[in-house]
Amino acid sequence: MSSSHSYGPRPWTFYVLAALFVLFVIFLYGPMIAVLILSFQGPSAALVFPLRDPSLMWFDELFNPRRVGDVVGAFSRSLPLALIVMILTVLVSVTAGFAFRRRFPGSGTIFYTSIASLIVPGLVLSIGILVTFRYLGLSAGWYTSGLGAHLSWAVPFGLLVMFAVLGRLNPSYEEAAYDLGASRWQIVKSVVIPIVFPGIIAVALFGFTLSYDEFPRSWLTVGSKNTLPLEIWTMTTNVTSPALYALGTVTTVVSFIVIALSLSSILIIQRRRSR
Amino acid sequence: MNAGTDANRKSLLSTYLQVTPLTVVMLLFFVVPVALVVLVSFFRYQMLVGIVPQFTFKNYIDLLTNPTTWSLYGSTLKFTVIVLVITFVLGFWIAYFLVFHVRNLLTAIGLFLVCTVPFWTSNIIRMISWRPVLGREGLINTALIDTGIIAEPLDWLLYSDFSVVVAYVHLFTLFMIVPIFNSMARIDKSLLEAAIDAGATRWGVVWNVVLPLSKTGIALGALFVVTLVMGDFFVVSVMSGGLSGSATSGMFNDLQFLNYPRAAANAVILLVVVMLIAFSIFRLVDVRKELVR
């Protein structure tokens, strides 16, 4: 361990843990890569290796609602829902994150309520929101009860990310700017936002992906029209063709695009700042 | 003096304004729904009518005297303990490797991201992706047969307790790695050097310095893993092929008969168990003090 700083020879534990890490990464990505490859399966429709006559037919099959289900419709609901959840998560958790920089009467209650909302089993909350909407005489829909269910999980996550981000925003920076004669707005614009902005992108990433992939909380709350994870869930029991893998590939690619966009914009901002 | 308290009051007001959206979301979509679940769990169920607002303990008595409930909770607790141990050991050592063994900070962050990216992708897809790997004609069985290690495919790889644990570990280890990594990254490295200089062995440093200083991360990770496994229905039903149940299976069945009161009672029991575990974790570690500084 001391050698990790004096840059001497690496201890044997380094090699053991490095091997563990590599195995873990294979464990993490191996199955996903298998699905990615098998989604190009040919007309043999085999769900396992080997890959015979690679083709794009199963991607084509996704647009055939009689065979597979309403994938396009599910996607057209999941995407806007994820975007709405993303925007609201950013607004709510960023403002709340700033409030928590000081202790105020009730801060503990609100904090522990948010943590409880994060760890309450998704099914329990799903039932609760469904029952609430029934009592209010409202019918469940993805943009009402579904949205609320997703927020109850994405917002506390965003809050946790904000805690990590604001932990690095030392109040003395703002005080120094104030002492140098900066106005409130100038402090926010030139001190706070540059430090916090990458964190806000991270919050947005959490908001989007947590909603886009959420299943247990969506289960009872999205109403009669499925979101994408629910559609995939029904497919796991109905569809026994590589179309399922093709859908897996498509959703994973969407997720990866979102992740890549977020991470690279964080990287660009960091690099610009260090200049 | 006066102006000072005035400014203070003003900033307190703006603090409350800042926290209002969060409070509204939490009240509408968490506090009220959970309160209603508790309320409905004491109501009567009638076929075709559904929820009848008459106070009764029947739902709870039904559930707690039913041996199925106990065996389902037993099986869920078994999974929880196994998964908790595996994810903790993996999470701890992977975070340790990234923080203390990888010398270049950018490399460490890059490798950390490699571990976290799957978190942002679909759980269901990640679950299904074990089928072509663990199945009877899957990659592992094929490889074992081709190398002559076994003659017949192993049946217990998929649709078994084994595959359930594999899927849980696959899905939830991230929830251990991230908070433990966070705690470890804050440890002042000179502390470790001081311990070594004072004659501690490398194991001694891990045991007496790193482990205690990572306990917030471990507690948060454990909180996530426990609540995710306890509240899970979908992983168990897909990965066990319907062979194993979970604490939520009863809830699932009740809902199919629109028996909301008993589903709610089931939910409340689960909630109480989860909250008891969470509470005991919070007793061990003041999570808030560590998170908000």
Side-chain angles (χ1 to χ4, degrees), chain A residues 7-117:
Chain A
Y7 290 90
R10 294 188 184 274
W12 63 271
T13 47
F14 170 84
Y15 298 99
V16 175
L17 290 178
L20 176 78
F21 183 82
V22 171
L23 285 177
F24 180 72
V25 170
I26 294 172
F27 171 75
L28 214 50
Y29 287 90
M32 287 165 81
I33 293 169
V35 159
L36 179 84
I37 296 171
L38 285 176
S39 60
F40 295 98
Q41 186 67 280
S44 71
L47 287 163
V48 289
F49 285 98
L51 189 68
R52 290 193 199 93
D53 317 315
S55 76
L56 290 172
M57 61 177 292
W58 303 109
F59 291 91
D60 208 43
E61 187 82 1
L62 288 181
F63 296 97
N64 182 347
R66 263 183 310 138
R67 299 277 289 278
V68 185
D70 187 16
V71 172
V72 179
F75 190 75
S76 74
R77 286 180 286 274
S78 270
L79 205 60
L81 179 60
L83 287 171
I84 299 168
V85 171
M86 177 183 94
I87 292 166
L88 291 176
T89 302
V90 167
L91 290 177
V92 174
S93 52
V94 170
T95 48
F98 277 99
F100 276 105
R101 293 179 81 199
R102 53 181 290 183
R103 272 189 189 259
F104 54 91
S107 63
T109 313
I110 300 175
F111 173 78
Y112 281 111
T113 308
S114 312
I115 296 292
S117 179

Side-chain angles (χ1 to χ4, degrees), chain A residues 88-172:
Chain A
L88 291 176
T89 302
V90 167
L91 290 177
V92 174
S93 52
V94 170
T95 48
F98 277 99
F100 276 105
R101 293 179 81 199
R102 53 181 290 183
R103 272 189 189 259
F104 54 91
S107 63
T109 313
I110 300 175
F111 173 78
Y112 281 111
T113 308
S114 312
I115 296 292
S117 179
L118 196 63
I119 63 179
V120 64
L123 263 181
V124 174
L125 198 87
S126 221
I127 296 175
I129 290 181
L130 184 70
V131 171
T132 309
F133 269 65
R134 285 182 128 226
Y135 271 102
L136 293 174
L138 302 168
S139 59
W142 61 266
Y143 45 86
T144 51
S145 46
L147 174 65
H150 287 191
L151 284 179
S152 74
W153 154 250
V155 166
F157 251 110
L159 198 61
L160 282 187
V161 176
M162 282 311 289
F163 286 152
V165 172
L166 293 173
R168 259 178 269 142
L169 178 62
N170 191 331
S172 57

Side-chain angles (χ1 to χ4, degrees), chain A residues 1-5 7-14 17-18 20-21 24-25 27-32 34-35 38 47-49 92 95-96 98-108 110-125 127-135 144-145 148-149 151-153 155-157 159-160 163-164 166-167 184 205-206 209-210 213 215-216 219-220 229-230 232-233 236 244-245 247-249 251-252 255-256 259 263, chain B residues 8 11-12 14-16 18-19 21-23 25-26 28-34 36-37 40 43 51 53 89-90 93-94 96-98 100-103 111-133 137-139 166 169-170 173-175 177 182 186 189 192-193 196 202-203 205-206 210 223-224 227-228 230-231 233-234 237-238 248 251-252 255 260 263-264 267-268 270-271 274-275 278 282 286-289 291-293:
Chain A
M1 198 165 316
S2 59
S3 59
S4 69
H5 293 281
Y7 290 90
R10 294 188 184 274
W12 63 271
T13 47
F14 170 84
L17 290 178
L20 176 78
F21 183 82
F24 180 72
V25 170
F27 171 75
L28 214 50
Y29 287 90
M32 287 165 81
V35 159
L38 285 176
L47 287 163
V48 289
F49 285 98
V92 174
T95 48
F98 277 99
F100 276 105
R101 293 179 81 199
R102 53 181 290 183
R103 272 189 189 259
F104 54 91
S107 63
I110 300 175
F111 173 78
Y112 281 111
T113 308
S114 312
I115 296 292
S117 179
L118 196 63
I119 63 179
V120 64
L123 263 181
V124 174
L125 198 87
I127 296 175
I129 290 181
L130 184 70
V131 171
T132 309
F133 269 65
R134 285 182 128 226
Y135 271 102
T144 51
S145 46
L151 284 179
S152 74
W153 154 250
V155 166
F157 251 110
L159 198 61
L160 282 187
F163 286 152
L166 293 173
R184 251 190 109 102
L205 172 63
F206 273 87
T209 55
L210 287 175
D213 301 323
F215 183 61
W219 184 52
L220 297 169
L230 289 169
I232 299 172
W233 168 259
T236 59
L244 185 59
Y245 297 156
L247 181 55
T249 300
T251 52
T252 310
S255 299
F256 270 91
I259 297 166
L263 295 182
Chain B
N8 228 340
S11 83
L12 192 64
S14 70
T15 302
Y16 277 116
Q18 284 168 339
V19 88
L22 173 70
T23 317
V25 168
M26 285 299 127
L28 275 180
F29 298 114
F30 172 63
V31 177
V32 170
V34 170
L36 272 179
V37 166
V40 167
F43 283 171
I51 307 168
V89 171
L90 272 177
W93 288 112
I94 286 167
Y96 181 87
F97 172 75
L98 293 177
F100 297 112
H101 274 311
V102 178
R103 288 169 178 174
L111 293 179
F112 176 74
L113 282 177
V114 167
C115 292
T116 47
V117 160
F119 169 80
W120 293 309
T121 64
S122 168
N123 275 1
I124 298 182
I125 294 299
R126 289 172 66 203
M127 216 155 71
I128 295 165
S129 63
W130 281 102
R131 284 184 179 174
V133 178
E137 294 165 5
L139 282 177
V166 166
V169 172
H170 188 226
T173 303
L174 301 166
F175 286 91
I177 297 178
N182 226 336
R186 287 184 186 162
K189 298 233 166 50
L192 310 189
E193 284 169 18
I196 297 257
R202 279 148 44 78
W203 277 113
V205 173
V206 172
V210 178
L223 191 64
F224 274 118
T227 53
L228 285 166
M230 291 288 304
F233 171 75
F234 305 99
S237 63
V238 169
T248 47
M251 222 185 291
F252 203 84
L255 284 171
Y260 287 103
V268 171
L270 177 66
L271 204 58
V274 168
M275 287 298 163
F282 280 119
D286 183 354
V287 176
R288 180 172 185 212
K289 201 183 81 196
L291 280 176
V292 195
R293 324 189 187 208

Side-chain angles (χ1 to χ4, degrees), chain B:
Chain B
M1 195 68 202
N2 241 341
T5 53
D6 230 38
N8 228 340
R9 202 170 298 150
K10 210 174 142 196
S11 83
L12 192 64
L13 184 72
S14 70
T15 302
Y16 277 116
L17 276 178
Q18 284 168 339
V19 88
T20 301
L22 173 70
T23 317
V24 170
V25 168
M26 285 299 127
L27 277 177
L28 275 180
F29 298 114
F30 172 63
V31 177
V32 170
V34 170
L36 272 179
V37 166
V38 176
L39 183 72
V40 167
S41 73
F42 290 104
F43 283 171
R44 206 161 60 80
Y45 165 71
Q46 198 180 326
M47 285 252 265
L48 303 175
V49 183
I51 307 168
V52 182
Q54 280 172 353
F55 184 86
T56 173
F57 279 116
K58 188 174 176 299
N59 303 312
Y60 287 98
I61 295 169
D62 275 2
L63 285 171
L64 294 176
T65 53
N66 188 343
T68 316
T69 311
W70 294 93
S71 71
L72 286 175
Y73 269 86
S75 135
T76 298
L77 280 174
K78 181 191 73 186
F79 280 129
T80 307
V81 172
I82 296 172
V83 173
L84 192 59
V85 170
I86 299 175
T87 53
F88 164 65
V89 171
L90 272 177
F92 183 86
W93 288 112
I94 286 167
Y96 181 87
F97 172 75
L98 293 177
V99 174
F100 297 112
H101 274 311
V102 178
R103 288 169 178 174
N104 182 310
L105 182 67
L106 271 181
T107 317
I109 292 174
L111 293 179
F112 176 74
L113 282 177
V114 167
C115 292
T116 47
V117 160
F119 169 80
W120 293 309
T121 64
S122 168
N123 275 1
I124 298 182
I125 294 299
R126 289 172 66 203
M127 216 155 71
I128 295 165
S129 63
W130 281 102
R131 284 184 179 174
V133 178
L134 295 178
R136 259 185 85 87
E137 294 165 5
L139 282 177
I140 292 182
N141 268 326
T142 317
L144 288 176
I145 291 173
D146 287 353
T147 50
I149 296 174
I150 51 169
E152 289 287 307
L154 302 172
D155 278 325
W156 52 265
L157 285 180
L158 189 61
Y159 304 134
S160 60
D161 284 359
F162 173 79
S163 57
V164 173
V165 171
V166 166
Y168 279 141
V169 172
H170 188 226
L171 293 176
F172 300 150
T173 303
L174 301 166
F175 286 91
M176 275 288 187
I177 297 178
V178 174
I180 296 178
F181 178 88
N182 226 336
S183 294
M184 280 185 184
R186 287 184 186 162
I187 297 175
D188 186 347
K189 298 233 166 50
S190 57
L191 269 181
L192 310 189
E193 284 169 18
I196 297 257
D197 290 345
T201 61
R202 279 148 44 78
W203 277 113
V205 173
V206 172
W207 189 252
N208 296 313
V209 182
V210 178
L211 196 64
L213 288 176
S214 324
K215 71 175 185 190
T216 321
I218 297 168
L220 267 178
L223 191 64
F224 274 118
V225 171
V226 166
T227 53
L228 285 166
V229 177
M230 291 288 304
D232 166 68
F233 171 75
F234 305 99
V235 176
V236 163
S237 63
V238 169
M239 295 307 285
S240 77
L243 296 176
S244 295
S246 68
T248 47
S249 303
M251 222 185 291
F252 203 84
N253 287 336
D254 292 335
L255 284 171
Q256 291 191 321
F257 293 100
L258 299 180
N259 188 344
Y260 287 103
R262 202 164 71 195
N266 234 322
V268 171
I269 294 172
L270 177 66
L271 204 58
V272 168
V273 174
V274 168
M275 287 298 163
L276 280 177
I277 296 173
F279 189 70
S280 43
I281 292 174
F282 280 119
R283 282 287 300 268
L284 293 174
V285 184
D286 183 354
V287 176
R288 180 172 185 212
K289 201 183 81 196
E290 300 277 342
L291 280 176
V292 195
R293 324 189 187 208

